[in-house]
């Protein structure tokens, strides 16, 4: 089993930045691919970015604004989000355990509880 705990969400004005963190413990280590997902009200959950030892991948529409990174010593995943807009308002989830650089939620067995991000215009 793995435990994933997100933090760093909150409210921000449009144009601002925010950094999310995900502390991992249990059956997750630097060899695992981890990812960020988000779910806006009334919409399906969608992949944001994923990272592993050999690289990362992003949702095409978020490239250049969002940056995924991890600190393996702390077993912590990060998501830096810049130039935020109202469409970025969502619950953001950390996920781990995929065998692929995937943005498909079905590829991830472990999930956090989520952290809410609200962008006001």
């Amino acid at each position: 089993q793995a435990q994933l705990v997100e933090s760093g969400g909150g409210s921000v004005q449009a144009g601002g930045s925010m950094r999310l963190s995900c502390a991992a413990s249990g059956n997750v280590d630097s060899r695992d691919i981890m990812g960020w997902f988000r779910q806006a009200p009334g919409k399906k959950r969608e992949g944001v970015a994923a990272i592993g030892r050999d690289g990362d991948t992003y949702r095409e529409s978020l490239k250049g604004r969002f940056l995924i990174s991890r600190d393996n010593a702390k077993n912590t995943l990060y998501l830096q989000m810049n130039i935020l807009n109202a469409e970025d308002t969502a619950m953001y989830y950390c996920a781990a355990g995929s065998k692929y650089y995937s943005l498909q939620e079905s590829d991830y067995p472990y999930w956090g509880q989520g952290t809410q991000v609200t962008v006001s215009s």
Side-chain angles (χ1 to χ4, degrees), residues 2-3 12-13 16 23-24 26 36 38 48 57 64-65 69 75 80 83-84 87 96-97 108 112 115:
Q3 292 77 45
V12 64
Q13 288 196 327
W36 286 100
R38 68 183 185 181
V48 172
T57 188
R65 285 199 305 123
S69 62
N75 216 10
Q80 176 68 41
I83 316 175
L84 287 161
E87 293 181 349
Y108 291 82
T115 185

Side-chain angles (χ1 to χ4, degrees), residues 1-100:
Q1 280 293 347
Q3 292 77 45
L4 304 173
V5 180
E6 302 96 336
S7 61
S11 297
V12 64
Q13 288 196 327
S17 298
M18 184 175 285
R19 188 177 81 156
L20 305 181
S21 300
C22 171
S25 61
N27 200 24
V28 177
D29 60 32
S30 61
R31 296 168 293 180
D32 290 292
I33 292 172
M34 298 184 71
W36 286 100
F37 290 76
R38 68 183 185 181
Q39 186 168 21
K43 295 188 177 182
K44 292 177 63 176
R45 188 150 57 181
E46 63 183 22
V48 172
I51 189 169
R53 287 188 298 180
D54 299 324
D56 52 37
T57 188
Y58 292 86
R59 188 172 195 83
E60 191 67 30
S61 61
L62 300 177
K63 281 183 179 178
R65 285 199 305 123
F66 286 20
L67 179 67
I68 190 170
S69 62
R70 68 195 294 175
D71 184 331
N72 291 325
K74 296 181 179 179
N75 216 10
T76 299
L77 180 72
Y78 301 100
L79 183 69
Q80 176 68 41
M81 306 184 292
N82 300 317
I83 316 175
L84 287 161
N85 59 63
E87 293 181 349
D88 296 317
T89 294
M91 184 73 79
Y92 283 74
Y93 297 90
C94 171
S98 175
K99 298 179 182 178
Y100 315 103

